[in-house]
Amino acid sequence: MLDWFDSIILGIVEGLTEFLPVSSTGHMILTNKLLGYGDNIPEQLKTFEIVIQFAAILAIAIVYRDKIFQVLGFGRKETVKGLSVDALPTRRLNLIHVLLGIVPPLVAAFLFRDYIKGGGFNYVPVLWALVVGGIYMWISEVLYDSGKIKRTAETMDDITYKQALIIGFIQCVSALWPGFSRSGSTIAGGMLTGLSYRASADFSFFIAIPIMTAATGYELLTNIDQFRSGAIDVGFLVTGFIVSFVVAWIVVVAFLKVLQKVKLKYFAWYRFALAAIFYLFILR
């Protein structure tokens, strides 16, 4: 039986982990296990997790609302009054960048959706994804800090189409391997292609909006009967939605403020610790 305590806990976990490079999938599986749901997760709970994921999307969309309007062509137009022409940006993030970053993982997820649903969310693959993803992030940061990678993009507006496409293909790994972390793969991948840490994180969060909207929309359509039948309590849904929204908004804003102080290696260490907990509480 689902209760409001579970709603609050799951909302907090979703909000905390969805946009950080720590794997929200691994955390949700572990949390479900600790809450006593085990391997047989109720359909109502699956529907609930879709709803709180949408809350996290809404939070990130609000944080990046100005950039969304600008990319869609609704932003305020810049003028040259009082400025030299050279003072205006020569490049801008646009829809082509976004499409190059989101199409590869969406296509991969669609083509291999049966495999992902059938075996990708099993405990062992997720545990290994936590470990391998952590190693990948750590190595990426070592190469980045070594100075061997030429930094060519300080902000999202500096990203090239080639960089956006490479990040899109890197995301395919996280799309096909639950637990690898979508944000972890994009942030580390962006750094490997020459993006600054901040530009990588911004682009990772920004393209999460259309990717997660598409994925959540698909899941909502396939689980529409749960909503029509009223099988899940509205109060339970609303509670989790609000908690997930607030926590996700706080996490993203705070993360962006302390970005230069929080190294990827710390998230890698955390992933290794989570994998150990995963092994002790679930696989043994």
Side-chain angles (χ1 to χ4, degrees), residues 63-158:
V63 172
Y64 287 93
R65 60 189 180 279
D66 291 339
K67 180 59 74 173
I68 293 173
F69 291 143
Q70 177 239 299
V71 168
L72 294 177
F74 300 124
R76 289 176 294 181
K77 300 296 184 182
E78 291 178 289
T79 66
V80 296
K81 184 178 180 181
L83 297 172
S84 67
V85 175
D86 291 338
L88 296 179
T90 56
R91 290 189 300 199
R92 279 292 195 188
L93 186 76
N94 58 51
L95 282 175
I96 297 178
H97 291 99
V98 176
L99 289 173
L100 290 173
I102 70 174
V103 169
L106 287 177
V107 171
F110 179 77
L111 292 177
F112 295 94
R113 62 191 183 280
D114 292 336
Y115 160 75
I116 297 170
K117 284 284 186 180
F121 284 93
N122 289 338
Y123 296 144
V124 173
V126 170
L127 184 150
W128 278 109
L130 287 169
V131 175
V132 175
I135 295 172
Y136 158 70
M137 288 162 50
W138 196 333
I139 293 175
S140 298
E141 188 169 68
V142 169
L143 292 174
Y144 179 81
D145 289 341
S146 70
K148 295 179 180 179
I149 297 174
K150 183 180 179 181
R151 189 183 302 180
T152 60
E154 290 297 330
T155 71
M156 279 198 289
D157 287 324
D158 299 322

Side-chain angles (χ1 to χ4, degrees), residues 159-175:
I159 296 174
T160 65
Y161 292 147
K162 179 180 178 180
Q163 288 170 323
L165 182 60
I166 292 173
I167 292 171
F169 279 113
I170 290 174
Q171 277 189 104
C172 291
V173 179
S174 59

Side-chain angles (χ1 to χ4, degrees), residues 5-49:
F5 174 77
D6 294 347
S7 175
I8 294 172
I9 295 299
L10 290 169
I12 291 174
V13 172
E14 170 64 23
L16 281 173
T17 62
E18 185 60 57
F19 297 107
L20 295 182
V22 295
S23 174
S24 60
T25 299
H27 282 80
M28 293 301 283
I29 291 175
L30 182 59
T31 303
N32 286 331
K33 182 74 171 182
L34 296 177
L35 289 176
Y37 293 109
D39 300 331
N40 299 314
I41 299 176
E43 287 299 320
Q44 300 97 316
L45 186 58
K46 294 179 181 179
T47 304
F48 168 77
E49 291 178 355

